[in-house]
Amino acid sequence: MASDPGVIRVPLCVLGAGPTGIAALLEAKMLGIEALGVERGASILETVVSHLDGLAYVSPPQHFEFGALPLDCHHPSHCTREDVLRYYARLVNWGRLRVLQGHRCLALESGADTVAVVTDTAGRRQRIVADHVIVTSWYRRRGMTFGATSAAHRPRVVTSFRNAIELAGEKVVLIGRGLSAYEHAVALMSNGATITMLSHGHAPYHARDDIRQLVRATGSVCLECSEDIQPHANGITITTAGDRRRIECDVIVHSRGAELDEDALAMLERSGTLKPHLVDQLRRAPTFEDALRLKFSGGRDECIAWLSANRPDLWEQLFDGRRRVYLAGGALHAGGQHAGIASSIATARLAVRALAGYERPSWSRPLMAALADHAAVEASMRTQADMQALLAVRPSRARTSRETAFGRPLDGVRREGQGPTGQREFTRTERDVFALVDDERSVSDILARATDAGICRSDDLALAALRSLWYHSALTWSAPIESPPSLQHV
């Protein structure tokens, strides 16, 4: 610690505590580097916390994982917001990670041997002096701007909500045309809300059968190509198909996805981490979602070539750093703000390894194209420490019925002793491995017992059975009470 009590001294400071930031903090722990996370939001994984209750992600659970630790799911077909939060809560607790929450980063001040991170929390300035900094947070929810209308006459504007109960009884206008807008519309209308859906262009989800059915059932309205949205005392006015219309509402759900955080870009430019031309390229950089709309005749290779030519190559910012600041996360790959969580996590781990002096992967530039090869990226991430961490966790049986705090099934049916349940028939090997799980044995113990008992011919087959049980809602896992050996010395 520095002599000044107002200054925090730490070898590594990680800006952002989403999945990418947590991956950087965990990688640092596994390499014996003391690290501190700084999060602008009110909680760790703030962006995930703000998602809809029960939201099912398009990305498979494996894309959210750190190392070899499985993201166990309650449903065999997908992972949800709650699955991801449970998983990362265990990772944070196991790694004993330190994260300052509610700290907005204002500046990066690079010196000869350190970087000072200046933050603001509730109006109070804080200085964190680090040997190195990794920036992992790039995006914020797209805001909504009005003209000069007095705030007293504006309807309330929110960019998201967690549950339909938050807006129950209010007149709602929903603006957006992508996946996020679709999810919010379903959440509202399926709970009986009558809403008006607006989009600045064609909204493909308006034509979906489930949306049309909900619109008919709730008396809701879909309006496309809406322009010049302005508030008035009891709602908004819009222009659509050349006509000016007035819509009464209490609240606007502005669900138009995420955008680059201009404050973060300005901070990186001021600090010399990013040159002005790279900042401009990032603002214009297309994503895989943009490329899909163009429907390249040459397929994936042509698509990646086009993206590589139109996105900045941040190879040096990841592997070499600039003024002791390293970059990781969505700005480095073509998933951008829409997708690519697995690539973001990979860049976080690579940034930590780079500043620790480890050899970089034998990839070819540009970085974006290298990160698009998911098989090669996954192979480059594997370490012996990852496997040691997996062997140390303790598998436990997932509940097969909803129970009260006293263990009484709410549905009146006891299923104990019936083995794992899921959406398919489990193999004999999986059932025999499941029988070895007792909430106390580690993965290492179970693998040894499975091979000794002749259940599996090798540890690999026993581990494959465990993974199948995790991904088919039969098992969960707990971290050991003590951190694994690779973490204990920190």
Side-chain angles (χ1 to χ4, degrees), residues 193-206:
T194 299
I195 66 175
T196 300
M197 288 170 278
L198 307 179
S199 62
H200 291 280
H202 173 58
Y205 84 89
H206 286 180

Side-chain angles (χ1 to χ4, degrees), residues 210-230:
D210 56 342
I211 291 294
R212 288 179 171 178
Q213 193 171 27
L214 285 168
V215 165
R216 290 193 298 269
T218 60
S220 297
V221 175
C222 299
L223 295 174
E224 295 188 340
C225 302
S226 303
E227 301 173 353
D228 190 23
I229 300 173
Q230 293 296 330

Side-chain angles (χ1 to χ4, degrees), residues 15 40 104-108 135-140 259-274 279 282-283 325 327 331:
L15 304 187
R40 176 176 55 188
R104 184 168 62 93
C105 190
L106 302 177
L108 295 173
V135 179
T136 70
S137 180
W138 291 95
Y139 299 100
R140 62 187 178 191
E259 61 185 356
L260 276 167
D261 188 334
E262 287 293 332
D263 291 338
L265 290 179
M267 179 186 70
L268 291 171
E269 185 173 343
R270 288 195 306 269
S271 69
T273 305
L274 284 177
V279 173
L282 275 175
R283 290 193 180 102
V325 178
L327 305 184

Side-chain angles (χ1 to χ4, degrees), residues 341-365:
I341 184 62
S343 296
S344 290
I345 290 172
T347 60
R349 303 190 69 183
L350 289 169
V352 176
R353 294 178 194 178
L355 64 87
Y358 284 72
E359 185 178 358
R360 66 191 61 177
S362 57
W363 297 343
S364 298
R365 298 182 67 165

